[in-house]
Amino acid sequence: MLAYVFRRLAQSVAVLFVMSLLVFAGVYAVGNPIDILVNPQSDQNEIARATAALGLDRPLFEQYFVFIGHAATGDLGRSFAFNVPAIGLILERMPATLELATAAMLIAVLLGIPLGLWAGLKPRSAAGRTIMAGSILGFSLPTFWVGLMLILVFSVWLGWLPTSGRGPTANLLGIPVSFLTAEGLRHLVLPTANLALFNLSLVIRLTRSGTREAMRQDYVRFARAKGLTETRVVGVHVLRNVLVPVVTVAGVEFGSVIAFAVVTESIFAWPGMGKLLIDSINVLDRPVIVAYLCIVVALFVAINLVVDLAYSWLDPRVRPGEAR
Amino acid sequence: MRRLLRLLVAGSIPWALAAHGAELRVGLAADVTSMDPHFLAIAPNINIAWHVFDALTHVDEDTRLIPGLALSWRAVDATTWEFKLRPGVRFHDGSELTAEDVVFSIERTLKVPNGQYGIFTRRIVGKEVVDAHTLRLKTATPYAMVPYDLNSVFIVSKKAAARSGPEDFDSGKAMVGTGPFRFVRFARGDRVELARNDAYWGAQGGKSAAWEKVTLRIVPTDPARLAGLLSGELDAIEQVPTADLPRIRRDARLNTVQKVSWRTIFFYLDQHRDRAPGLADKAGRPLAQNPFRDLRVRRALSKAINRAAIAGRLMDGAAIPASNLVSPPVFGYAPDLAPETYDPEEAKRLLAEAGYPDGFAMTLSATNNRYVNDEQIAQAVAQMFARVGVRARVETLPLNAYLPKGRKGEFAFAMFGWGSFSADLALRALVATPDPDKGFGAFNWSGYSNRQVDALLERAFASVDEKRREALARDAMRLAMRDHAVIALHHQVATWAMRKPLAYAPRTDEFTLAHQIREK
């Protein structure tokens, strides 16, 4: 078990290494960050001075080795645009995104599984059909459009909720969070709904098809024959089997919701990491881009590890590290 | 997208505007990266700095220089400028402003790691504190731009900022200025909160802010910013999308104000190489020579552009056809130049005369995320060129990929935008013969070179007499424009919208200053 965890960690270091190399080369291929960072009023000497100050006049491989050398000591560089350490910049923005992503995934899972179960158990009922129709909508409507519609209806027309921003935050163990204050919660509602919609639909559909499949299985019949109550059949035997694919997808989706919530964050001016990444790409702020992707890779590795461990708990046939 | 915005505007059912007392909430369009006023010289950061800090010289709504922390300034001799500081100005911590703080601020611009304000202070070679309120600055050679350059140098408190890094500005520890607001809080990517400085020196002139508390919200997405205004969550917004202007104007609850911006949109045409990228005849064979080197071709292309149509329809009136490289209020604008008249027949005749009766093919490069409607403008211009027989293939790129390519000379015909305080500054960067040692032609992507223009500019920069300098700058502008060194397209118009009864005196430099927003 422990060996398995270590092997996974070693793999992730290799992934980090390859990723940083790719990002370095990628940003280099787009262009010289100085061209976009420099003040337009600068003359040629000023531009040369700024290039040298950031070490951008050196050959790419040399820049990369300097980066690796610093990275080994935990220093991922200073943002060109913000003039603060890149890692600190990302960590500063992380709570906002984590809060949004967690809230969205909670809604997706806590609403999606019951709704999906319902639709799977009673596929031909009016409620089942409505749930499925709704999930198709949630699946196919672009996030961008839904976000604007939410703002239009709930903020501009009805005036119930704020249009954008994070609102006031309260500290929970030193981390600023929104959900502890009423005003913060009001700011959280629309972005969360917008971000949750897609995953909610996904979870509903997965749960429904899993349920329908499980209901036809022999073990369900045996359970019934044994005289178990329907609640126990569905709540324990069916649900447990249905959850395996749901956990996989929810895990992967949680990662991408954290890393790439950029559309929602942009529309609602939510000061999270996704917006930071796009802003940084726009000005070729390489230290931030590299640090961001390193953190995202680490996050995905961690989530996948948790997902794998969750499997073995849900399905005792699976042993971590065995099946390849 | 446009539809959606219209829906947003049209759909807003009357809301009650709560009386917000003395708080103002403004929606800004671009992200602020740092509070340090001596780090990146980019507009969103400078906009914030103007709320907390002052400079020796300020500019008015027309970008003309007016007294700031300096009451007056004069050239003592050709290389010495003397500034008289305003007496009795106090920093937010109560200490008095002295010449020492000014010297400290000038020196700090050169010391901030990766700071960009050195371009405004590097020419100052000597600083002499005559008394607490008199300062003399020396340059190595006669240099007329010192008062202009110092408009970009924010004065920080020596006491608060000595030994401070950028983090101390972001946290507020070093954010001690003399400006109309005291700094309260910076939440990166979200907002900047400010509180009124009741001891502001401008208060005597009635310029003190009307607001006890100001929140500058950063809302880069256009529809979201607009929705914020419509829902009453924001009191004023900048950069109103042009497509929504007509409807916002009809909304009885809102005021809009507009002003010609200092940003001029123009096209570079490669004139220094025999073969420029993307130029060919219509069969795809490379041309024997670069047609843009022929004045008749440059004039023909300029005449082929219907500027009035672009400004009126494509920009919904938020642009003014340009004849100069600076906009009308700016120092050195030559009012006698008129925008090129649209004349496709004459353009065809000129092309035939230059040896291109069947036209030629070229690539028209432009950004797609930088200037208002940039991509659509490029498409429209390409269609106008097609009408005179020139086939232009439009290639658009985001700014981060566009700028590096432009600097490397990969474009033959390229759109760009520029804003300057004065005509000589704009010409120095855009059309002067490139010369790193003089700082000439840093953005001369055309490779245009005219010794007469260079000489006029050199004389202008050395001339401390403003009248003479303006005359020289105008002459240089006339020469460059007559030569079609670049093809000027239009000046953008900046738009603000706010709830009634708020009013704002719109600014050519596009800054949104909360202390100048007040109730009518």
Side-chain angles (χ1 to χ4, degrees):
Chain A
M1 181 74 187
L2 208 59
Y4 168 74
V5 172
F6 272 120
R7 200 163 62 233
R8 287 291 288 263
L9 287 180
Q11 281 168 0
S12 63
V13 171
V15 172
L16 275 176
F17 191 73
V18 172
M19 191 276 311
S20 68
L21 200 63
L22 284 177
V23 175
F24 240 77
V27 175
Y28 187 79
V30 174
N32 185 349
I34 274 299
D35 288 330
I36 191 157
L37 282 168
V38 82
N39 181 317
Q41 310 293 345
S42 305
D43 55 32
Q44 295 91 328
N45 289 341
E46 195 65 38
I47 293 170
R49 201 175 286 127
T51 311
L54 293 176
L56 294 170
D57 52 340
R58 294 188 235 164
L60 182 64
F61 67 87
E62 205 181 315
Q63 294 182 35
Y64 184 70
F65 285 129
V66 169
F67 163 78
I68 288 291
H70 286 154
T73 66
D75 173 13
L76 291 180
R78 232 179 149 79
S79 160
F80 299 157
F82 294 91
N83 208 13
V84 292
I87 202 95
L89 199 60
I90 295 162
L91 293 180
E92 179 187 301
R93 298 268 196 125
M94 203 180 229
T97 295
L98 280 181
E99 181 171 24
L100 189 62
T102 311
M105 282 319 284
L106 277 179
I107 289 183
V109 170
L110 295 185
L111 269 181
I113 292 176
L115 287 177
L117 266 179
W118 187 286
L121 291 172
K122 299 188 164 51
R124 266 172 270 285
S125 68
R129 284 173 198 276
T130 314
I131 292 170
M132 290 320 289
S135 80
I136 290 175
L137 275 184
F139 232 35
S140 28
L141 294 177
T143 317
F144 185 74
W145 186 83
V146 173
L148 287 178
M149 284 303 117
L150 288 175
I151 294 180
L152 176 67
V153 173
F154 292 101
S155 308
V156 179
W157 283 0
L158 299 172
W160 290 350
L161 296 164
T163 54
S164 65
R166 197 178 177 200
T169 54
N171 276 341
L172 179 71
L173 308 173
I175 300 163
V177 293
S178 297
F179 71 91
L180 290 180
T181 63
E183 194 54 33
L185 263 182
R186 287 183 62 224
H187 280 87
L188 194 59
V189 174
L190 288 186
T192 306
N194 192 35
L195 195 60
L197 195 60
F198 179 87
N199 287 314
L200 177 60
S201 310
L202 195 64
V203 171
I204 288 177
R205 297 187 79 82
L206 275 173
T207 314
R208 172 184 178 265
S209 59
T211 311
R212 293 201 65 182
E213 212 181 296
M215 292 305 281
R216 284 197 296 267
Q217 299 287 321
D218 289 344
Y219 69 84
V220 173
R221 254 180 265 158
F222 282 122
R224 286 210 178 112
K226 232 167 83 181
L228 295 180
T229 60
E230 192 66 14
T231 328
R232 185 154 173 87
V233 173
V234 174
V236 177
H237 297 278
V238 173
L239 190 61
R240 202 153 172 170
N241 281 283
V242 167
L243 278 183
V244 173
V246 172
V247 166
T248 321
V249 171
V252 173
E253 282 298 310
F254 184 54
S256 41
V257 161
I258 292 174
F260 309 109
V262 57
V263 176
T264 298
E265 287 184 4
S266 298
I267 296 172
F268 291 93
W270 188 264
M273 310 193 296
K275 210 158 136 273
L276 176 71
L277 177 67
I278 291 298
D279 291 345
S280 301
I281 291 174
N282 279 337
V283 296
L284 298 179
D285 195 344
R286 194 176 62 200
V288 179
I289 302 175
V290 175
Y292 183 89
L293 293 174
C294 284
I295 289 182
V296 166
V297 167
L299 220 64
F300 268 91
V301 168
I303 290 173
N304 280 329
L305 195 61
V306 172
V307 168
D308 280 359
L309 298 179
Y311 278 162
S312 63
W313 175 74
L314 282 170
D315 185 348
R317 287 169 302 179
V318 180
R319 287 277 160 270
E322 263 178 22
R324 281 285 134 206
Chain B
M1 177 79 182
R2 278 193 174 196
R3 273 262 172 88
L4 221 53
L5 283 171
R6 294 213 163 115
L7 199 64
L8 272 176
V9 179
S12 57
I13 292 165
W15 26 241
L17 267 174
H20 291 294
E23 188 191 347
L24 180 75
R25 298 148 309 163
V26 181
L28 301 181
D31 198 14
V32 180
T33 69
S34 172
M35 289 292 108
D36 190 331
H38 299 147
F39 175 50
L40 287 196
I42 54 174
N45 291 15
I46 297 172
N47 194 50
I48 301 292
W50 277 122
H51 289 85
V52 178
F53 300 99
D54 289 299
L56 289 189
T57 56
H58 287 191
V59 292
D60 64 8
E61 298 89 36
D62 293 326
T63 74
R64 296 301 177 122
L65 225 48
I66 53 171
L69 290 181
L71 266 182
S72 65
W73 53 92
R74 66 188 177 99
V76 181
D77 56 51
T79 59
T80 310
W81 282 87
E82 184 179 274
F83 291 84
K84 286 265 181 220
L85 297 191
R86 200 178 284 273
V89 174
R90 290 190 179 278
F91 281 103
H92 298 157
D93 65 0
S95 60
E96 201 183 340
L97 167 87
T98 69
E100 291 295 340
D101 296 299
V102 178
V103 170
F104 171 79
S105 300
I106 291 173
E107 281 168 356
R108 188 170 183 276
T109 60
L110 297 168
K111 285 184 199 149
V112 173
N114 303 322
Q116 294 188 339
Y117 287 80
I119 48 173
F120 303 111
T121 52
R122 226 178 282 284
R123 284 190 176 79
I124 297 168
V125 294
K127 297 172 280 286
E128 183 196 344
V129 177
V130 179
D131 60 51
H133 293 102
T134 312
L135 179 70
R136 286 190 174 180
L137 300 174
K138 283 192 173 298
T139 54
T141 51
Y143 183 59
M145 302 302 292
V146 172
Y148 285 81
D149 284 353
L150 288 180
N151 173 253
S152 297
V153 179
F154 292 104
I155 305 304
V156 299
S157 151
K158 181 176 179 179
K159 203 173 85 185
R163 294 185 299 280
S164 286
E167 286 90 347
D168 296 317
F169 281 89
D170 289 348
S171 75
K173 193 178 139 236
M175 285 291 278
V176 178
T178 53
F181 293 99
R182 281 182 292 109
F183 173 85
V184 176
R185 188 170 80 97
F186 171 41
R188 212 187 293 280
D190 185 30
R191 66 187 64 207
V192 178
E193 289 171 13
L194 305 165
R196 181 168 61 202
N197 168 17
D198 288 313
Y200 183 49
W201 57 267
Q204 297 93 329
K207 282 202 296 182
S208 154
W211 318 101
E212 268 169 35
K213 189 170 175 252
V214 167
T215 304
L216 303 170
R217 288 268 314 274
I218 297 154
V219 193
T221 316
D222 286 340
R225 198 162 62 252
L226 195 55
L229 180 70
L230 293 173
S231 70
E233 215 173 298
L234 297 172
D235 300 310
I237 59 170
E238 61 177 13
Q239 293 187 26
V240 180
T242 56
D244 296 292
L245 269 175
R247 273 166 194 279
I248 294 178
R249 285 213 186 94
R250 281 203 300 275
D251 194 321
R253 301 158 302 166
L254 300 176
N255 264 337
T256 54
V257 289
Q258 284 193 313
K259 176 124 188 163
V260 60
S261 150
W262 59 347
R263 200 182 305 285
T264 305
I265 307 297
F266 60 90
F267 292 101
Y268 287 115
L269 341 77
D270 189 304
Q271 291 155 57
H272 71 298
R273 288 178 291 192
D274 288 328
R275 296 261 169 94
L279 287 171
D281 69 8
K282 284 191 173 162
R285 287 182 300 262
L287 295 171
Q289 53 204 336
N290 176 351
F292 299 147
R293 299 185 73 154
D294 190 322
L295 175 60
R296 290 168 297 190
V297 175
R298 303 203 292 272
R299 183 172 294 145
L301 291 181
S302 182
K303 284 193 178 298
I305 300 174
N306 187 347
R307 290 173 176 76
I310 292 177
R313 279 178 245 149
L314 215 160
M315 299 288 289
D316 287 284
I320 297 172
S323 60
N324 271 244
L325 270 181
V326 290
S327 69
V330 174
F331 182 90
Y333 174 84
D336 50 313
L337 295 175
E340 192 92 61
T341 45
Y342 173 55
D343 191 346
E345 290 313 311
E346 174 69 5
K348 275 187 214 160
R349 200 190 61 74
L350 281 166
L351 282 172
E353 196 185 304
Y356 303 96
D358 301 322
F360 52 88
M362 60 182 244
T363 304
L364 194 166
S365 307
T367 52
N368 54 22
N369 63 351
R370 175 67 177 139
Y371 311 110
V372 180
N373 302 332
D374 42 11
E375 191 164 6
Q376 293 96 310
I377 293 170
Q379 298 287 358
V381 169
Q383 280 172 29
M384 290 167 185
F385 284 172
R387 247 173 260 165
V388 301
V390 172
R391 194 198 304 145
R393 195 177 66 84
V394 174
E395 173 202 58
T396 62
L397 291 167
L399 189 71
N400 61 4
Y402 186 79
L403 277 175
K405 274 178 183 277
R407 295 185 78 82
K408 273 190 244 155
E410 290 181 22
F411 302 141
F413 193 97
M415 183 194 289
F416 209 57
W418 199 263
S420 268
F421 272 147
S422 67
D424 41 1
L425 278 177
L427 293 168
R428 176 174 78 175
L430 302 176
V431 304
T433 310
D435 180 346
D437 292 328
K438 285 193 294 185
F440 274 31
F443 282 80
N444 185 354
W445 294 359
S446 301
Y448 172 79
S449 173
N450 181 339
R451 296 292 156 201
Q452 267 178 292
V453 173
D454 297 347
L456 282 168
L457 290 176
E458 265 174 59
R459 281 169 59 202
F461 287 120
S463 156
V464 292
D465 173 4
E466 291 280 282
K467 281 225 169 60
R468 220 170 84 83
R469 201 185 120 219
E470 185 156 29
L472 289 164
R474 280 185 178 144
D475 284 346
M477 181 66 78
R478 287 188 195 104
L479 267 179
M481 296 317 289
R482 216 162 282 157
D483 252 358
H484 291 94
V486 296
I487 295 177
L489 184 65
H490 60 229
H491 311 296
Q492 287 185 1
V493 169
T495 311
W496 289 261
M498 61 211 77
R499 67 172 169 84
K500 282 179 179 166
L502 296 187
Y504 184 58
R507 300 178 63 87
T508 290
D509 57 18
E510 294 191 17
F511 288 130
T512 304
L513 305 177
H515 42 294
Q516 288 175 11
I517 299 177
R518 42 188 72 241
E519 301 216 338
K520 241 192 300 209

